[in-house]
Amino acid sequence: MVRVPLTEEERSRGERLGTALRAARGARSMVDVAAEAGISVETLRKIETGRIPTPAFFTVAAIADAVGLPLDVLREACSAGAGAGEFSQAS
C-alpha cells in the first residue's frame, strides 16, 4: 500500500501538536511522561519534534492526559492560526 504524502499543512499541524505537547510537559522528563502515557520515549520525542506529524489519536490522548492538557485546548493549539506554545491550560 502506498501512503499519500502529507501536505504542508498536515506537516505544520504536526509541528504545532508537538510544540504544544512539549510546552505542556514543562519541566517533567520525557521518561516520566512517556511512562505515564504508556509509550516509548522515542515515540514521544518524535511527536514533540514533528517527526511523527499524524500520531494515533489514543497516543495523543494518553500524552495529553499525562501532562494534564485537555484535548479541546490541544485542538485549539493545533489549529491553523495558533502560534507556537499558544495555549492556556485549564486549572
Side-chain angles (χ1 to χ4, degrees):
M1 183 168 134
V2 176
R3 187 169 181 175
V4 177
L6 298 175
T7 66
E8 186 58 37
E9 173 53 32
E10 290 168 326
R11 280 191 289 276
S12 180
R13 185 177 56 225
E15 290 173 2
R16 290 190 302 271
L17 170 67
T19 298
L21 291 172
R22 171 61 191 101
R25 180 166 57 87
R28 290 180 63 191
S29 74
M30 291 182 101
V31 173
D32 179 43
V33 172
E36 187 173 333
I39 62 172
S40 72
V41 173
E42 186 60 21
T43 297
L44 179 58
R45 180 179 293 108
K46 287 178 179 178
I47 292 170
E48 285 187 355
T49 60
R51 288 179 47 214
I52 300 178
T54 58
F57 171 77
F58 291 105
T59 300
V60 173
I63 298 167
D65 187 52
V67 298
L69 182 61
L71 290 176
D72 58 335
V73 174
L74 181 58
R75 182 187 52 78
E76 289 175 21
C78 294
S79 67
E86 186 179 300
F87 66 92
S88 58
Q89 286 183 268
S91 308

